[in-house]
Amino acid sequence: QKEVEQNSGPLSVPEGAIASLNCTYSDRGSQSFFWYRQYSGKSPELIMFIYSNGDKEDGRFTAQLNKASQYVSLLIRDSQPSDSATYLCAVNRVTDKLIFGTGTRLQVFP
Amino acid sequence: DAGVIQSPRHEVTEMGQEVTLRCKPISGHDYLFWYRQTMMRGLELLIYFNNNVPIDDSGMPEDRFSAKMPNASFSTLKIQPSEPRDSAVYFCASTSSGGSSETQYFGPGTRLLVL
């Protein structure tokens, strides 16, 4: 079992819709959870992080964490074609290093 | 404020040659990470440093890979000898323990092709 699992996609959504990206992790000791966005040919950039159970909102983005189910998700409201990218979920345990999933490719079509 | 700087941006070399990748972290950051990204394996942590000291090198694939951080503003990742399976994008990232310590800032990457 991979430490951090994501569906590779592609996830295709129409412009204006809500995109829902999901991630599960295996280590119950995980403490911090991150979503990075990576455009093709570019480096990952942080979108959001979440530490506590529940929802955290930042503009069009909402991160949701459920530690009991070992599940973290990212919702993108009013999806735009510019949101088309690969979204990487990352998990931090007690050390300083992040464990990344392989990413979900999102396609937003006009 | 400059971000993480990596050089070269692209490298094409022949199998058996030595390859050296360079990274300059963001000034003031005390953590530096080296990652490798491939389609098959995604983004993998190779090694990371704290205050110039290697903390965890368990991701380094084999003895052909080595990394150094002689000072707070410079790190190298060396592959000797290189093999075609080393072809990947290598990212350097840095962060600070003083703020959002887990927010890693990535450099633009070095695209390595070993023929």
Side-chain angles (χ1 to χ4, degrees):
Chain A
Q1 181 186 11
K2 291 182 180 178
E3 293 189 66
V4 180
E5 296 208 51
Q6 297 180 254
N7 188 317
S8 62
L11 172 66
S12 294
V13 300
E15 184 175 358
I18 296 175
S20 177
L21 303 162
N22 305 314
C23 172
T24 58
Y25 59 95
S26 60
D27 188 343
R28 286 194 173 274
S30 299
Q31 298 180 336
S32 311
F33 308 86
F34 302 81
W35 283 101
Y36 281 78
R37 177 177 62 200
Q38 187 175 23
Y39 291 112
S40 180
K42 302 296 184 182
S43 56
E45 55 180 339
L46 182 69
I47 300 176
M48 292 188 69
F49 58 86
I50 185 168
Y51 301 138
S52 304
N53 276 329
D55 295 359
K56 179 181 179 182
E57 187 174 319
D58 183 1
R60 296 187 296 113
F61 299 95
T62 299
Q64 299 176 318
L65 175 61
N66 183 325
K67 290 187 177 180
S69 300
Q70 296 176 241
Y71 177 96
V72 58
S73 64
L74 179 70
L75 302 179
I76 306 175
R77 291 182 298 281
D78 188 24
S79 296
Q80 301 297 308
S82 59
D83 295 325
S84 298
T86 296
Y87 290 80
L88 303 170
C89 172
V91 172
N92 177 281
R93 294 177 290 179
V94 296
T95 64
D96 300 301
K97 62 182 185 182
L98 294 180
I99 308 298
F100 282 84
T102 52
T104 298
R105 189 158 65 93
L106 173 66
Q107 294 177 334
V108 181
F109 55 91
Chain B
D1 185 21
V4 176
I5 299 171
Q6 291 187 247
S7 65
R9 296 290 303 275
H10 302 272
E11 177 81 26
V12 180
T13 190
E14 293 186 345
M15 183 174 63
Q17 296 299 305
E18 178 179 295
V19 175
T20 300
L21 311 180
R22 297 173 177 80
C23 175
K24 176 180 170 56
I26 293 172
S27 178
H29 283 189
D30 53 354
Y31 283 87
L32 184 141
F33 304 81
W34 281 102
Y35 291 91
R36 177 174 67 177
Q37 188 174 40
T38 61
M39 290 292 292
M40 292 298 295
R41 300 175 67 88
L43 195 61
E44 303 174 282
L45 177 67
L46 300 177
I47 184 171
Y48 78 94
F49 296 83
N50 178 219
N51 291 321
N52 314 336
V53 177
I55 303 300
D56 185 343
D57 65 355
S58 59
M60 296 286 263
E62 48 197 274
D63 292 345
R64 297 184 298 107
F65 286 69
S66 63
K68 293 181 180 179
M69 192 165 186
N71 57 62
S73 59
F74 184 66
S75 177
T76 60
L77 178 67
K78 185 176 294 186
I79 308 172
Q80 167 63 20
S82 58
E83 296 183 3
R85 60 192 167 121
D86 302 329
S87 298
V89 181
Y90 290 81
F91 288 106
C92 176
S94 70
T95 191
S96 168
S97 57
S100 297
S101 61
E102 296 144 335
T103 303
Q104 295 185 18
Y105 297 87
F106 283 77
T110 295
R111 282 155 180 76
L112 174 65
L113 177 61
V114 183
L115 302 174

